[in-house]
Amino acid sequence: MEPRLPRAAAAPPPPRPAGSAHAWPPARPLTHPVSHRTAALREAAKRPGGAWGRRGAMNRLGRKASETLIEMAPSADDDIAVLTKFKLLQSEGEESNGPLCETLSTAGSEVPSSSEQGLSSTETTLLIPDRQVIDKRHQSKDSIFFRDGVRRIDFVLSYVDDLNKEWEKKLERRKEFESNLQKAGLELETEDKKESEDGKIYFVKIHAPWEVLITYAEVLNIKVPIKENDIPSMVENPLDCMLTPFRLPEKVMHPEPDYFTAPFSKEKQELYLINDESTFFSPSMRNRIVNYILTRCPYGTEEGKKKFGIKRLLNNGTYSAAYPLHDCQYWKKASDPNCDNERYTLYMEWARFLRFYKEQPLDLIRKYYGEKIGIYFAWLGFYTEMLFLAAVVGVICFLYGLFTMDENMSSKEICDPAIGGEIIMCPLCDRECEYWRLNTTCESSEYSHLFDNVATLFFAIFMGIWVTLFLEFWKRRQARLKYEWDLVDFEEEQQQLQLRPEYEAKCTQKKKNPVTQEMEPYLPLTSQAVRFCISGTTVLFWVSLIIASMIAVIVYRLAVYAAFASLMENAQTLQPISGLLTPQLATSVTASCLNFVIIMILNFIYERIAIWITDMEIPRTHMEYENRLTMKMFLFQFVNYYSSCFYVAFFKGKFVGYPGAYTYMFNRWRNEECDPAGCLIELTTQLTIVMAGKQIWGNIQEAIVPWICNWWGRRKARNNPENLYSRWEQDHDLQTFGALGLFYEYLEMVIQFGFITLFVASFPLAPLLALMNNILEIRVDSWKLTTQYRRPVAAKAHSIGVWQEILNGMAILSVVTNAFIVAFTSDMIPRLVYYYAYSESDNSPMSGYINNSLSVFLISDFPERNKPKTNTENFVICRYRDYRYPPDHEKKYLHTMQFWHILAAKLAFIIIMEHVVFIVKFFVAWMIPDVPADVKAKIKREKYLTQKILHEYELEKLKERLGQGDKRATEKEFIATEGRMELSRAM
């Protein structure tokens, strides 16, 4: 029998042209794996009773209908036999599921025998005596290949063979599952538990041979190179030389050559630039293909239902883990020259904090982790770059407030003993609180000016325009990545047509898909309605729970204010800081901290509830699943994180009534009043505590917790020699990134985006805090992904998905919230109205503003419920923050005309600001196209060339068929193909 030879490979791909578009794994000058097998077979054939054996002799005697392919696994000891499996290859006219080759390491093993595994009669098993042990040092344990050193490990399954009551059921599941994996063409190699570091875990290594890869590459519409990219590169910017310190080496930034690509087809293999079958599909593509098979592979029937998918087997404990391998250790290169060492490169150039000022190697991230993770880091990096501009403007506005503090007439009058010291304010709570002098809030009024000044208005308008620029420029950046990463036609192929395995398993009814015209499972409308009702009710319940917790915090603020007021009034130790730490500030800080703790607790519980109800809805596709979960989680966290800020910004101090007619919550607790200098400083305090606390806690969760867990799990392994700690064991001891790992990263950043847009008018330094956090976030995320987590399964994504719509919605809402904050929370509009309409001094227009903004109340008009217990100084009147007529006026305690003037000015300001910002936003969005002109041209050029190449290929095939006398290849078909080529050129 002539051994199978590799088919003719295309010429080696040319070097990567500068500025080209699509990337592809560069061909490595490795020997084709088939050549290794061929040499082993020829060598074995020379020995009597060797690998060819009797069956090989039979084939050499003239058996033409089929051939026998025998896989030999190398061993360190010639005396040790290995389990070798044989398979009769089908003839060319028959269908095949791919090779069923499996090499098992069975030294001292408890792996079931061939008969237990259900092996066919064509398979032969040679068992290894129990007393013989394979020398684990015969091959580098850091290797990512099977023991033959040729076949790459594309996926690893692990399990613990615990002898509990479900042991037999799990064993049967594993037998059936692994048998079906073999029938699908995958090759398996099992590492016995005695060879694992702890002596308890079996590892099943999976390799996808060429036949499987090309089959599923066609199923998944994976695009592969067909021609060198000939589009010239863009003209370099002369200012790029200034960015040299921030650049990474070209090999790191662009690790792959660039080509025009087309979806893979088994019938047109010679069309593609295949130089080496072992490296043609990158490791991320290979593990994506294997994961696709694993998620759909059946393992039996239970309770009358067909069961399938590795996810179910992981959930029921049949397997303990399933993961692809990292290619090497992150702190040093692999000893195997065939390893790419991309993990090491990512760690050295990207995942270390000392590289925080360097650009991200997005192409390498995409190649190693897949497009979905690559697009996240591209978005996070772009968001961080845009934050730099917002942070600079925010710092300038803050410095303006800092430098003009001494010019603030309002704080001067409050701090002046002759003005603020003589103004007696009404008590801030009933009975327990006393009358107080206005100058006791001197320090807080001065600090309030840092954020409540003219620059606040400018910054609110600027951020409304900034968020539009950010979203529009991101669309352009995303469109460029979409083209460069070959994702232009991805959405329909991948996200809309592929069903989730869970959907296929749970939906027993079927109907014809109008797109594919094939029968597929579906969920009846009545079942969908019931599930959505349950889901919606659950979400509303938890949102109501958040609102209830916020009300509880408000009650806490109302209840403890009197206690703080009494404590600070009587405690002599607090006298030195009584001016800075007022009862209002103490209440606000403690309430904010309490609110943050409640937020974290509710988040922890709701995350699990949201996943449960989303699973219950049984979404049809992975995209639908992520979108539904995203909306549930975002809605919850939006209310959870922002409700307290909305309360302080828009409700606190707005519905307090006036002395003698206060409004009460639940007819018991008197509503809070704002500081005479305004509520903006309290909103700033609330925003700072929640935002900073969330970022600090998030970094602890993301970095420290995984590190501690991994350190705890590696304690014993570190005591063993490195060559006894295999690559699959090292990765097994790492944390699992999980299918929702990226979802939580997006959610964290989008919540942060809300803090710096919805309430930024109250805190111009919020973008600076976000910028510093994100610089750290990029390196923390890259560090944990590269060093602390198993390699995630590669997945495709052409955009940030539903998060784009959420960001757009928040951008529009931010204009409204900031307009209301400037109008109703800050004191800017009342001051402007006083400046232009009520000022009595030409030399100092703002003098007298504080006295004008405080109304007079006659203390004798206090009801018994409100009157303080003591009035030692026999005050007759007290002042309160409002615009009402004095007690001696005929319209006693009614609102003055100035109140209505200010209200009209506030409403007019909101309308004007919103319209101005929205007009600018829409004009900017209209001016900036979503797709750059050069990218549009490249997409058209690539489509044209791809069609041309495919048409020329079909024309050549027709010519060959006509030359060979194929009756099916008619002359009319030839003419039609030529006509299609001409039409393509014309278009």
Side-chain angles (χ1 to χ4, degrees):
M1 179 188 72
E2 289 295 325
R4 185 178 64 162
L5 298 176
R7 62 181 177 78
R16 177 182 181 274
S20 51
H22 294 324
W24 201 257
R28 294 183 299 180
L30 297 178
T31 306
H32 193 284
V34 175
S35 64
H36 285 274
R37 295 196 289 263
T38 302
L41 294 172
R42 287 175 176 169
E43 185 65 30
K46 298 177 183 178
R47 299 195 298 269
W52 294 105
R54 185 173 51 180
R55 189 176 303 276
M58 291 173 60
N59 284 322
R60 290 196 300 274
L61 289 175
R63 187 173 180 176
K64 297 182 180 180
S66 62
E67 297 176 343
T68 303
L69 176 63
I70 304 175
E71 298 269 326
M72 293 298 299
S75 173
D77 191 343
D78 291 338
D79 295 332
I80 299 178
V82 293
L83 176 62
T84 308
K85 303 182 70 177
F86 303 87
K87 179 189 174 185
L88 291 178
L89 295 180
Q90 296 172 319
S91 61
E92 293 182 1
E94 298 174 337
E95 294 182 357
S96 174
N97 286 325
L100 296 178
C101 303
E102 181 189 53
T103 305
L104 300 177
S105 165
T106 57
S109 174
E110 296 179 10
V111 178
S113 66
S114 60
S115 61
E116 294 173 331
Q117 291 278 19
L119 303 180
S120 66
S121 60
T122 61
E123 296 168 342
T124 303
T125 305
L126 300 177
L127 299 178
I128 304 173
D130 289 342
R131 59 184 177 82
Q132 294 177 320
V133 179
I134 291 177
D135 184 3
K136 298 185 71 174
R137 293 174 177 80
H138 79 280
Q139 179 188 4
S140 170
K141 298 306 290 183
D142 202 38
S143 172
I144 57 172
F145 295 93
F146 274 20
R147 293 201 170 185
D148 57 15
V150 175
R151 290 173 294 170
R152 186 184 190 98
I153 301 172
D154 297 313
F155 229 88
V156 174
L157 307 178
S158 67
Y159 62 90
V160 178
D161 209 0
D162 48 348
L163 299 177
N164 56 22
K165 61 181 180 179
E166 295 188 353
W167 175 78
E168 292 185 359
K169 183 181 290 187
K170 292 180 180 179
L171 179 62
E172 290 299 323
R173 288 172 183 162
R174 284 195 291 267
K175 287 180 183 178
E176 183 70 19
F177 187 68
E178 293 175 16
S179 175
N180 288 330
L181 289 179
Q182 294 171 26
K183 290 177 183 178
L186 298 178
E187 299 175 6
L188 309 181
E189 183 178 83
T190 301
E191 288 286 332
D192 184 66
K193 68 178 182 180
K194 293 183 179 178
E195 302 207 4
S196 65
E197 186 273 328
D198 60 2
K200 298 178 181 179
I201 305 174
Y202 290 95
F203 292 95
V204 181
K205 299 173 286 184
I206 302 175
H207 168 75
W210 173 255
E211 292 81 2
V212 173
L213 293 174
I214 61 176
T215 298
Y216 286 93
E218 188 170 18
V219 170
L220 297 175
N221 282 306
I222 292 178
K223 292 186 175 182
V224 294
I226 56 175
K227 186 183 183 298
E228 175 190 352
N229 184 355
D230 63 353
I231 299 177
S233 60
M234 297 176 60
V235 179
E236 293 189 3
N237 189 338
L239 299 179
D240 281 350
C241 60
M242 300 176 60
L243 303 176
T244 301
F246 308 102
R247 300 291 188 196
L248 288 174
E250 182 67 16
K251 180 61 179 175
V252 176
M253 288 301 298
H254 303 288
E256 305 167 333
D258 292 351
Y259 300 99
F260 292 132
T261 60
F264 188 85
S265 172
K266 290 197 294 184
E267 304 299 326
K268 303 174 183 178
Q269 291 189 47
E270 58 269 24
L271 176 65
Y272 309 112
L273 301 179
I274 304 176
N275 185 58
D276 187 349
E277 291 178 0
S278 64
T279 58
F280 182 66
F281 293 104
S282 67
S284 61
M285 291 179 185
R286 297 174 69 101
N287 73 56
R288 179 173 159 234
I289 289 173
V290 174
N291 183 68
Y292 181 87
I293 299 173
L294 290 173
T295 55
R296 285 158 175 80
C297 183
Y299 60 85
T301 302
E302 298 177 7
E303 300 176 357
K305 294 183 180 180
K306 186 178 180 180
K307 302 291 185 179
F308 61 90
I310 187 63
K311 184 176 180 180
R312 283 176 173 268
L313 292 174
L314 291 171
N315 290 338
N316 60 34
T318 304
Y319 290 100
S320 58
Y323 53 94
L325 292 179
H326 284 293
D327 61 3
C328 65
Q329 295 170 336
Y330 65 86
W331 64 88
K332 70 175 183 177
K333 293 184 178 181
S335 57
D336 192 335
N338 294 336
C339 292
D340 295 323
N341 293 294
E342 291 170 351
R343 185 191 188 193
Y344 170 78
T345 304
L346 285 171
Y347 174 72
M348 297 301 294
E349 302 291 346
W350 177 53
R352 294 190 300 166
F353 183 74
L354 294 178
R355 314 292 283 179
F356 74 92
Y357 62 94
K358 293 285 188 178
E359 61 184 335
Q360 297 187 85
L362 294 178
D363 286 348
L364 186 58
I365 298 169
R366 173 244 182 170
K367 180 185 176 186
Y368 193 75
Y369 291 115
E371 288 80 0
K372 193 169 186 178
I373 290 179
I375 204 79
Y376 163 73
F377 281 103
W379 176 80
L380 181 57
F382 184 81
Y383 171 44
T384 304
E385 291 172 10
M386 290 295 292
L387 274 177
F388 181 78
L389 175 62
V392 170
V393 177
V395 170
I396 293 174
C397 293
F398 175 78
L399 292 177
Y400 171 82
L402 182 64
F403 293 145
T404 57
M405 280 182 65
D406 295 337
E407 303 173 9
N408 181 25
M409 184 58 67
S410 297
S411 59
K412 282 184 177 180
E413 290 185 346
I414 291 175
C415 297
D416 189 346
I419 301 176
E422 297 298 325
I423 296 177
I424 307 302
M425 301 295 295
C426 295
L428 293 174
C429 65
D430 296 336
R431 303 296 292 171
E432 300 297 331
C433 296
E434 298 181 356
Y435 302 100
W436 54 284
R437 298 183 184 274
L438 182 60
N439 64 349
T440 57
T441 62
C442 175
E443 285 82 358
S444 62
S445 65
E446 290 178 337
Y447 292 132
S448 178
H449 179 73
L450 290 173
F451 310 108
D452 190 2
N453 52 65
V454 178
T456 301
L457 173 60
F458 166 77
F459 192 60
I461 296 175
F462 167 80
M463 287 301 293
I465 299 171
W466 174 88
V467 72
T468 303
L469 291 173
F470 164 63
L471 294 174
E472 292 302 317
F473 281 125
W474 166 246
K475 290 178 185 177
R476 292 171 61 85
R477 175 69 171 136
Q478 187 171 258
R480 191 175 297 278
L481 286 174
K482 203 171 176 180
Y483 168 71
E484 292 177 353
W485 290 358
D486 221 4
L487 300 168
V488 174
D489 301 321
F490 166 68
E491 180 175 2
E492 183 177 358
E493 297 171 355
Q494 288 300 108
Q495 297 189 5
Q496 294 182 353
L497 299 182
Q498 289 185 10
L499 302 179
R500 293 174 64 236
E502 295 82 0
Y503 182 86
E504 296 177 294
K506 294 180 181 179
C507 299
T508 56
Q509 302 184 41
K510 294 189 177 183
K511 69 176 182 179
K512 183 179 287 187
N513 187 313
V515 178
T516 62
Q517 292 297 307
E518 295 179 356
M519 297 299 293
E520 65 177 29
Y522 85 103
L523 193 64
L525 186 61
T526 54
S527 179
Q528 291 185 41
V530 172
R531 294 172 187 274
F532 277 126
C533 287
I534 296 174
S535 174
T537 304
T538 306
V539 172
L540 287 176
F541 169 77
W542 279 89
V543 170
S544 302
L545 190 61
I546 297 173
I547 296 174
S549 67
M550 183 191 70
I551 293 174
V553 173
I554 294 173
V555 170
Y556 165 83
R557 299 169 71 106
L558 300 177
V560 303
Y561 178 81
F564 277 120
S566 176
L567 177 66
M568 293 179 179
E569 181 71 23
N570 300 323
Q572 297 297 324
T573 56
L574 297 177
Q575 289 299 323
I577 59 171
S578 60
L580 179 63
L581 187 63
T582 61
Q584 295 98 318
L585 184 60
T587 303
S588 180
V589 170
T590 56
S592 299
C593 294
L594 177 63
N595 184 68
F596 176 73
V597 173
I598 294 175
I599 286 173
M600 292 295 103
I601 295 173
L602 291 177
N603 269 348
F604 177 79
I605 300 173
Y606 182 77
E607 283 179 6
R608 287 140 185 84
I609 300 294
I611 294 173
W612 174 76
I613 58 178
T614 306
D615 289 337
M616 182 199 63
E617 292 176 7
I618 318 179
R620 185 172 179 272
T621 64
H622 289 285
M623 183 177 69
E624 287 182 15
Y625 182 90
E626 289 192 6
N627 289 350
R628 291 184 188 183
L629 181 61
T630 297
M631 295 308 299
K632 291 181 182 66
M633 288 294 296
F634 175 74
L635 175 62
F636 177 85
Q637 295 215 2
F638 182 91
V639 179
N640 200 15
Y641 280 109
Y642 303 145
S643 58
S644 58
C645 293
F646 273 104
Y647 164 73
V648 175
F650 306 125
F651 295 97
K652 183 181 178 182
K654 308 300 186 294
F655 309 100
V656 296
Y658 64 92
Y662 289 119
T663 56
Y664 289 81
M665 178 179 288
F666 306 127
N667 200 33
R668 180 175 179 181
W669 292 286
R670 198 176 104 188
N671 287 349
E672 287 184 283
E673 296 182 39
C674 286
D675 189 275
C679 272
L680 197 69
I681 189 66
E682 293 191 44
L683 177 58
T684 303
T685 303
Q686 179 77 28
L687 180 66
T688 304
I689 290 176
V690 176
M691 180 179 175
K694 182 183 184 303
Q695 293 181 165
I696 294 171
W697 179 251
N699 287 325
I700 291 174
Q701 278 187 312
E702 291 182 18
I704 298 178
V705 172
W707 180 83
I708 292 176
C709 293
N710 289 334
W711 171 81
W712 185 260
R714 288 195 300 259
R715 295 185 334 277
K716 296 181 180 178
R718 289 185 176 181
N719 297 326
N720 293 336
E722 185 177 305
N723 58 358
L724 296 183
Y725 196 32
S726 63
R727 162 64 31 222
W728 45 90
E729 289 178 283
Q730 294 176 46
D731 285 7
H732 181 270
D733 290 341
L734 298 178
Q735 299 298 300
T736 303
F737 189 64
L740 297 177
L742 211 56
F743 165 81
Y744 292 117
E745 300 296 341
Y746 274 119
L747 184 62
E748 178 187 5
M749 288 296 103
V750 170
I751 293 297
Q752 181 203 84
F753 181 82
F755 281 125
I756 68 165
T757 54
L758 297 177
F759 309 103
V760 74
S762 67
F763 190 36
L765 294 181
L768 179 63
L769 291 181
L771 175 64
M772 293 188 296
N773 175 80
N774 288 7
I775 291 174
L776 178 64
E777 181 76 21
I778 291 175
R779 304 303 158 179
V780 168
D781 286 349
S782 59
W783 174 79
K784 73 177 183 182
L785 203 61
T786 306
T787 67
Q788 303 301 310
Y789 283 88
R790 297 170 186 162
R791 185 174 185 171
V793 177
K796 279 184 172 290
H798 70 295
S799 66
I800 61 175
V802 70
W803 299 110
Q804 183 80 39
E805 301 304 320
I806 291 176
L807 293 175
N808 289 333
M810 295 182 73
I812 295 173
L813 181 61
S814 68
V815 177
V816 179
T817 55
N818 283 300
F820 272 85
I821 287 173
V822 173
F824 286 97
T825 308
S826 79
D827 262 9
M828 181 173 298
I829 303 301
R831 285 199 294 262
L832 290 175
V833 171
Y834 179 82
Y835 182 91
Y836 288 106
Y838 293 91
S839 176
E840 299 177 355
S841 173
D842 295 334
N843 297 328
S844 179
M846 289 304 297
S847 61
Y849 167 73
I850 290 297
N851 186 62
N852 177 264
S853 65
L854 298 175
S855 298
V856 179
F857 183 78
L858 190 63
I859 291 178
S860 60
D861 290 339
F862 263 128
E864 192 63 30
R865 176 181 183 178
N866 306 129
K867 185 180 296 185
K869 293 180 179 179
T870 59
N871 183 7
T872 55
E873 299 187 40
N874 298 319
F875 297 121
V876 177
I877 61 171
C878 64
R879 310 292 294 272
Y880 60 99
R881 182 184 171 85
D882 206 344
Y883 294 93
R884 294 179 182 271
Y885 289 110
D888 56 352
H889 196 277
E890 61 181 5
K891 297 182 179 180
K892 179 179 179 180
Y893 301 142
L894 296 179
H895 283 122
T896 64
M897 285 303 298
Q898 186 174 354
F899 170 84
W900 300 110
H901 289 164
I902 292 174
L903 180 61
K906 289 179 177 180
L907 297 177
F909 170 80
I910 291 172
I911 294 172
I912 294 172
M913 177 179 170
E914 287 181 356
H915 281 71
V916 169
V917 175
F918 279 133
I919 289 172
V920 174
K921 280 170 64 70
F922 291 134
F923 178 74
V924 170
W926 175 75
M927 287 289 293
I928 302 175
D930 291 348
V931 182
D934 64 309
V935 172
K936 287 183 179 179
K938 289 177 179 179
I939 292 174
K940 292 178 181 178
R941 169 70 175 164
E942 179 171 358
K943 286 185 176 179
Y944 163 73
L945 288 176
T946 302
Q947 290 179 357
K948 179 181 176 183
I949 292 170
L950 292 174
H951 292 165
E952 289 177 349
Y953 171 79
E954 292 176 4
L955 192 61
E956 289 298 322
K957 283 295 181 183
L958 278 172
K959 287 181 180 179
E960 290 180 9
R961 291 166 59 190
L962 285 171
Q964 296 171 359
D966 189 345
K967 295 180 180 180
R968 292 176 296 177
T970 64
E971 189 173 343
K972 289 184 178 179
E973 187 179 359
F974 181 78
I975 294 172
T977 303
E978 278 195 322
R980 188 170 61 175
M981 290 180 60
E982 292 298 328
L983 181 61
S984 178
R985 292 192 189 101
M987 292 175 64

